[in-house]
Amino acid sequence: MISRTQVGIVGGGPAGLMLSHLLHLAGIESVVIEIRSRDEIERTHRAGILERDSVRMLVDSGVSDRVLRDGHEHEGIDLRFGGVSHRIDFQGLVGASTWLYPQTDVFIDLANARDRDGGDVRYGVVDTQIVDNTTIRPGMLFTDAEGVEHEIRCDVLVGADGSRSMTRAAVAGRREYFGQYPFAWFGILCEAPPSADVLIYTRSDRGFALISQRTESVQRMYFQCSPEESVDDWSEDRIWSELQARLAGADGFQLKEGRIFSKTVLPFRSYVCEPIRHGNLFLAGDAAHTVPPTGAKGLNLALADVRVLAEVLERALLKNDKAALDDYTPRALSRVWKAQYFSTWLTTLLHTLPDAPDFDVRRQLAELSAVVDSDHGAAFLAESYTGWPAPVR
């Protein structure tokens, strides 16, 4: 079956659905295809910290205001080292907040909005290919969930198909930049009340730990581990003992414990593809770049990408300004590289490095002290964490 649309989007996660929504508001048709079922995506637990502008995008574009009702506004974070917590007051320093709102819920809101507005989103497709991306009529080929083969010709193709992107391979002549890390995160979900009102980022001699929240009765926590770590080697008692030891301090802080119902090891890396356009194919989100989770930038970068992409596509498709398409790579990547810098800085600031000499350990602690003891240092962290202004033309 052969059909036609203006923009074909490969990938029905938050990036692809938000782009489809923004294009709909501009009067541009799109078709989204996704290899996973909608139910599978909704059942995948993903953490989420939303920057101020990401929240504004969800609300102001009419996706949903549920983030304001069900999300949790955080006006700061705690940096904990030497057994003492130091509050980084986002509101006091830069007048901004972040919102604790799981990525799963962002997806649900976007999927519901596309249903509400009659969006064309096809879940559970197989045999996906993209073709002719350097021509004026690129195409998506796939077989739908009922076994029907499709060929959709477009003006523009967008690859928003995640870190294992199939579409990325079509960017001929691309340069790929990698940053590897010698550690991973051991993540748990547990049935317990919150241990704190904000996220706690902890640097201890035993390694990094992050205490996050989900709901009033479910919490998410992480601790630094080896990428080769097996979850089967960690009993609940051992996990709680390790987390409590990393948070221990003279102030007597104790985590509230409960039944652990999910355990996973999360390796991570930094990655950037340049350029993120080839012909009439554009990459967005994790298909174009990934960051370590320490800085909470992954989902926010994806939403920032599609904000820029929707704008340049509107200029190109509705105002016949084809030169606008050249703006996408430099504008999107300027933010991506800032996020790479911040995420790498925060990661190396808080994690213990294998075989680090004593000098580096003491230097790391001095750098943490320099951040919390300086309004300017703390403001840099607050501004970077809550998000930079949207990229402009």
Side-chain angles (χ1 to χ4, degrees):
M1 181 180 297
I2 301 176
S3 58
R4 175 92 169 81
T5 193
Q6 289 175 285
V7 179
I9 303 172
V10 182
L17 294 185
M18 177 58 86
L19 177 61
S20 180
H21 173 70
L22 295 175
L23 294 175
H24 164 74
L25 296 180
I28 297 172
E29 295 179 350
S30 67
V31 175
V32 182
I33 61 173
E34 168 59 52
I35 61 173
R36 297 166 295 175
S37 69
R38 177 169 174 173
D39 182 64
E40 180 183 354
I41 304 173
E42 290 185 358
R43 287 187 288 106
T44 302
H45 292 287
R46 298 287 299 275
I49 295 292
L50 295 182
E51 298 173 356
R52 169 180 51 188
D53 282 355
S54 296
V55 172
R56 287 174 177 168
M57 189 187 307
L58 287 168
V59 176
D60 293 350
S61 72
V63 172
S64 172
D65 65 355
R66 191 164 70 97
V67 61
L68 301 179
R69 293 180 280 111
D70 296 348
H72 298 276
E73 182 180 2
H74 283 187
E75 297 184 352
I77 59 172
D78 278 350
L79 286 187
R80 186 172 176 85
F81 58 98
V84 178
S85 291
H86 306 265
R87 180 61 54 95
I88 306 296
D89 180 4
F90 295 162
Q91 280 290 335
L93 291 161
V94 296
S97 294
T98 58
W99 270 257
L100 181 69
Y101 193 64
Q103 182 171 323
T104 310
D105 288 293
V106 175
F107 168 79
I108 291 170
D109 291 345
L110 284 162
N112 288 341
R114 294 314 294 129
D115 281 351
R116 177 196 70 204
D117 298 337
D120 190 344
V121 183
R122 319 219 187 153
Y123 299 100
V125 308
V126 296
D127 302 326
T128 306
Q129 301 178 57
I130 59 170
V131 295
D132 303 331
N133 61 285
T134 59
T135 73
I136 62 171
R137 287 291 179 270
M140 303 188 299
L141 311 180
F142 61 94
T143 302
D144 68 22
E146 283 70 47
V148 178
E149 295 181 353
H150 292 265
E151 175 181 329
I152 301 181
R153 291 289 168 168
C154 325
D155 296 315
V156 168
L157 281 174
V158 176
D161 50 338
S163 60
R164 298 179 181 177
S165 172
M166 170 273 297
T167 58
R168 184 193 303 143
V171 179
R174 67 190 181 280
R175 294 191 64 182
E176 296 182 297
Y177 300 88
F178 297 92
Q180 300 290 344
Y181 300 87
F183 37 72
W185 282 5
F186 194 112
I188 66 165
L189 284 167
C190 65
E191 294 174 348
S195 295
D197 59 341
V198 296
L199 273 67
I200 306 174
Y201 285 79
T202 302
R203 189 268 179 211
S204 81
D205 291 340
R206 303 176 69 95
F208 170 79
L210 171 60
I211 308 306
S212 183
Q213 303 85 25
R214 280 292 298 271
T215 68
E216 291 304 310
S217 59
V218 174
Q219 312 309 320
R220 181 176 287 277
M221 305 181 192
Y222 304 92
F223 60 88
Q224 178 184 344
C225 67
S226 164
E228 288 75 42
E229 201 72 62
S230 171
V231 297
D232 296 332
D233 293 337
W234 287 80
S235 66
E236 287 199 26
D237 286 345
R238 185 185 177 196
I239 290 170
W240 284 120
S241 176
E242 185 64 33
L243 281 167
Q244 296 286 14
R246 295 193 187 196
L247 274 292
D251 58 5
F253 180 84
Q254 286 278 311
L255 293 171
K256 296 177 181 178
E257 300 182 9
R259 184 181 73 88
I260 296 171
F261 62 90
S262 175
K263 299 186 290 186
T264 187
V265 173
L266 303 170
F268 50 86
R269 66 175 185 174
S270 294
Y271 169 77
V272 180
C273 176
E274 287 192 4
I276 50 177
R277 174 200 179 187
H278 184 59
N280 283 316
L281 168 67
F282 299 79
L283 303 181
D286 285 358
H289 44 75
T290 59
V291 292
T294 323
K297 290 299 172 200
L299 175 57
N300 294 292
L301 280 179
L303 296 178
D305 284 350
V306 299
R307 179 197 291 118
V308 175
L309 187 52
E311 179 195 317
V312 300
L313 290 178
E314 181 179 356
R315 289 160 54 197
L317 298 178
L318 299 185
K319 300 177 183 177
N320 201 33
D321 179 9
K322 301 302 183 185
L325 300 176
D326 296 332
D327 290 349
Y328 176 59
T329 286
R331 286 178 58 193
L333 287 185
S334 67
R335 188 184 190 91
V336 167
W337 279 113
K338 286 174 70 175
Q340 291 288 2
Y341 163 65
F342 172 68
S343 298
T344 302
W345 171 74
L346 194 59
T347 299
T348 56
L349 182 66
L350 292 166
H351 289 70
T352 56
L353 303 177
D355 303 319
D358 290 343
F359 176 88
D360 285 347
V361 172
R362 296 299 295 270
R363 180 205 53 76
Q364 187 183 44
L365 291 169
E367 187 174 1
L368 280 162
S369 295
V371 170
V372 301
D373 291 343
S374 163
D375 286 345
H376 294 292
F380 166 75
L381 195 162
E383 179 186 46
S384 301
Y385 197 96
T386 59
W388 306 281
V392 296
R393 293 176 57 184

